[in-house]
Amino acid sequence: MTLACATIPGSKPKQTRLVKAVALALAALSGPALAANGHYVPGVEGIKGPVVPPAGTYYRGYLVHYDFDEITLPNGDTAPLKGNVTALANRFIHITEKKLLGADYGFETIIPVQRNDFDFANSKESGVGDIFVGPVVLGWHGQQWDAVFAAGIWLDTGDYSSTEPASIGKGHKTTMLTLGGTYHFDAAKSWSASALSRYEIKSKQDETGITPGDSWLVEWGLGKRLDNGLELGLVGYDAWQLENSKGVPAGTGKAEKHALGVEAGYFWPSLMLGLNAAYLNEYQVKNGPSGDLFRLTLTKVF
């Protein structure tokens, strides 16, 4: 892992210790995990994220830009290191007419295209990332509530190198389990509260022998749909690495992130098209980068 080009102020001994600490943090986070706590990027869902649509075929394009200007090290110190990640996650969803366990049954896939630019390591990479295949999507619907369960796997299809911090892929597969729900406070469903959780179980990286620790993420949203159709609200996410990564040096610690932001969205029924925009700021981070996330989500109903 090349960090020689990182510009870190201070004396030479202090700089050496800091570079070593950053290297340990990067080893534990493994490449693109700089932008997330696992394969799944937090903050891409918000208001009514757990609501599964009716039977049909859908496309959702998540355009995400993440900027970070410092990294929190395992010992709690911070290093002023800059970088960014820009990604377009192309998600294709098909909800069938079939029922399973009383829920609408569907399946999905996500094909991300991204560019990682880590200034501090002079490392830039772009390309198609790890692809997600989700054979199970279950959606339940009540009079004023919705719930979802889903299961799938992130494949190690993206390019990965242990010596390239900005690698597009992660070098390992991840099983992801999803569970969430939305409650509507009124019969008109103009007020909503939602929470969507993702549990990730990671496999071993063949190149390094490292097995990243399991992680859990919760995205949430509080929304209000106005009479003109515009929906506004507060959004956020909370992410925890639940266990230490195996095969990395001692003292790397677990990652944790908390963010808060705002979202606005509108759906045009005549076009069967929706657009959402969100901004989130990471206000508390442990063992990882701290920054801001900007998101645009395009939804097309076919």
Side-chain angles (χ1 to χ4, degrees), residues 74-99:
N75 63 2
D77 293 340
T78 59
L81 307 179
K82 296 183 178 181
N84 64 78
V85 176
T86 302
L88 173 61
N90 300 283
R91 183 183 181 193
F92 302 90
I93 312 163
H94 181 69
I95 306 299
T96 71
E97 299 283 354
K98 297 179 180 179
K99 295 285 186 177

Side-chain angles (χ1 to χ4, degrees), residues 219-272:
E219 296 173 289
W220 57 267
L222 297 171
K224 167 63 177 177
R225 189 183 70 249
L226 306 180
D227 292 339
N228 61 6
L230 181 65
E231 193 152 27
L232 304 172
L234 296 176
V235 292
Y237 57 80
D238 302 275
W240 300 267
Q241 182 180 342
L242 301 179
E243 59 182 4
N244 289 321
S245 299
K246 301 178 180 66
V248 298
T252 53
K254 301 174 186 177
E256 183 177 330
K257 287 193 170 195
H258 303 277
L260 180 65
V262 293
E263 180 176 326
Y266 190 83
F267 186 79
W268 292 267
S270 60
L271 301 175
M272 300 300 283

Side-chain angles (χ1 to χ4, degrees), residues 193-208:
S194 62
L196 184 67
S197 66
R198 314 274 192 178
Y199 189 88
E200 295 188 61
I201 306 167
K202 291 112 177 183
S203 64
K204 181 186 293 187
Q205 288 178 328
D206 292 335
E207 183 174 333
T208 65

Side-chain angles (χ1 to χ4, degrees), residues 35 65-68 82-86 115-119 123:
H65 182 76
Y66 176 75
D67 269 310
F68 63 90
K82 296 183 178 181
N84 64 78
V85 176
T86 302
R115 180 178 185 272
N116 299 336
D117 186 352
F118 299 161
D119 293 344
S123 180

